[in-house]
Amino acid sequence: MSNRKTILITGGAGYIGVHCIVSLVKAGYKPIVVDNLYNATSDALKAVEAIIGEQVQFYNLDVLDKEALAKVFQENEIFAVVHMAALKAVGESCAMPLKYYHVNVSGTIILMEVMREANVKNLVMSSSATVYGTPQYLPIDEKHPVGGCTNPYGKTKLFMEEIMQDVYASDKEWNIIVLRYFNPIGSHESGTIGEDPKGIPNNLAPYISQVAVGLREQLSVFGDDYDTPDGTGVRDYIHVMDLAEGHSCAVKKITEKPGLKIYNLGTGQGYSVLQLLKAFEKATEKNIPYKVCPRRAGDIAAGYADPKLAEEEMGWKAEKGIDDMCTDMWRWQSKNPNGYSS
Ligand code: NAD
Ligand code: WQD
């Protein structure tokens, strides 16, 4: 136990962060968390501690606070950082672009400065398939051009990636793994940690889940006239525990000193809005009402990954299917109808 490598997870109290903690502990790492609880609660950390059977060292601080962040590196022998702390609401990013650039981009710069000063140059970054913009071909592999993001949130992820590429070009001691997530959904199988959006969910899966549990009346399906099999948008939904495993594989890969690598984390399988809805109805044995509405601005018709590279180079592959995603998501939502405050 004592010679476990320490992994700092920024944003580690968030939805994906707590699931990563489970995976990292299982893989033999010691997680520590920096989070300012902007979009999370300490209850999430308590819940994950119950799953892993140990306490997680937690620093309640803002990644923009350079001094406080530097202290975390002085107090711990950190092997690698998994950088998840970010703001992620697409609509809000259009209303508050400066806030998004500040937290996501300046936050990354400050973190990397602190890391360089502490001589910790191993970094795994949460990026997003949104950096590919409107797909030019499917499935999307890592060679697909990036750019053309339709909102500031997406641009922050692209800028974060570019900053990392420039830093790596200037100093080859860095090892950086950029993980481009497709659409993470679901929960740990215990149903004790999960996605707990504040206010009205922006994303499809938590919205469906809240309709099923009775918090919302019906789902609005944003467009049924796309060039897809049933006319609704197609995405590559990936179980959050598979995604979390991708981080453990990335941290392991870092020990090989890989330089800078970029990997898609997706299943390679696309599902439409209505297919996800049906899968969720099957998992919940409930009828989930919906109405078709106009398209949402900035949405693409279809996007799914070619995830082969992550398998070839990190030995990672998504194992769970759409039914597991829906069953696990429902276990969390039905046990915790109001999230962590239930
Ligand atoms: P989340 O909001 O649940 O987690 C982000 C965490 O960062 C939160 O706990 C929040 O409190 C924390 N945070 C925000 N600003 C901070 C700051 N200034 N200092 C310290 N902590 C701060 O989101 P998530 O879904 O878990 O996403 C994690 C990462 O994955 C983010 O970088 C997000 O952009 C990226 N991502 C998410 C998705 C998705 O669909 N959920 C898809 C692609 C990429
Ligand atoms: C999926 C599909 C919608 C809600 C966004 C961000 C991306 C990433 C993940 C990361 C689309 C449809 C949705 C609803 C609907 N964020 N939909 N009714 O758009 O692929 O990606 O989240 O941090 O950057 O852009 O995911 O879940 O919002 O939408 O019909 O109430 O569901 O039109 O086809 P998306 P999503």
Side-chain angles (χ1 to χ4, degrees), residues 286-302:
K286 281 174 184 288
N287 173 45
I288 299 170
Y290 70 91
K291 65 167 188 262
V292 176
C293 299
R295 292 180 179 192
R296 184 173 66 179
D299 271 355
I300 57 169

Side-chain angles (χ1 to χ4, degrees), residues 130 153 183 202-204 220-222 235 237 273 296 299:
T130 193
Y153 166 74
N183 291 60
N202 297 302
N203 298 111
L204 179 62
S220 300
V221 174
F222 298 145
R235 298 291 184 273
Y237 297 100
V273 173
R296 184 173 66 179
D299 271 355

Side-chain angles (χ1 to χ4, degrees), residues 143-277:
K143 294 195 186 89
H144 186 288
V146 293
C149 303
T150 54
N151 58 78
Y153 166 74
K155 289 181 198 168
T156 67
K157 289 285 152 180
L158 188 58
F159 296 161
M160 288 162 71
E161 286 195 8
E162 304 225 322
I163 289 166
M164 290 180 188
Q165 299 201 6
D166 290 341
V167 169
Y168 176 67
S170 76
D171 177 358
K172 296 282 175 1
E173 281 184 15
W174 282 86
N175 293 292
I176 302 176
I177 298 190
V178 171
L179 299 176
R180 292 181 178 153
Y181 309 164
F182 278 69
N183 291 60
I185 66 171
S187 308
H188 182 260
E189 61 184 14
S190 63
T192 58
I193 54 174
E195 189 164 12
D196 183 14
K198 287 189 179 151
I200 302 168
N202 297 302
N203 298 111
L204 179 62
Y207 203 105
I208 292 180
S209 196
Q210 291 197 2
V211 174
V213 86
L215 290 175
R216 318 237 162 239
E217 209 177 309
Q218 61 181 352
L219 172 72
S220 300
V221 174
F222 298 145
D224 68 350
D225 56 351
Y226 285 107
D227 184 15
T228 59
D230 65 17
T232 65
V234 168
R235 298 291 184 273
D236 186 339
Y237 297 100
I238 172 169
H239 196 294
V240 68
M241 282 312 299
D242 275 335
L243 189 89
E245 294 288 319
H247 294 72
S248 302
C249 292
V251 169
K252 196 160 155 237
K253 176 88 186 167
I254 290 252
T255 56
E256 296 170 15
K257 300 192 185 300
L260 189 141
K261 297 279 185 181
I262 299 177
Y263 299 116
N264 284 340
L265 294 185
T267 66
Q269 171 80 48
Y271 287 94
S272 73
V273 173
L274 293 180
Q275 282 177 317
L276 186 70
L277 184 96

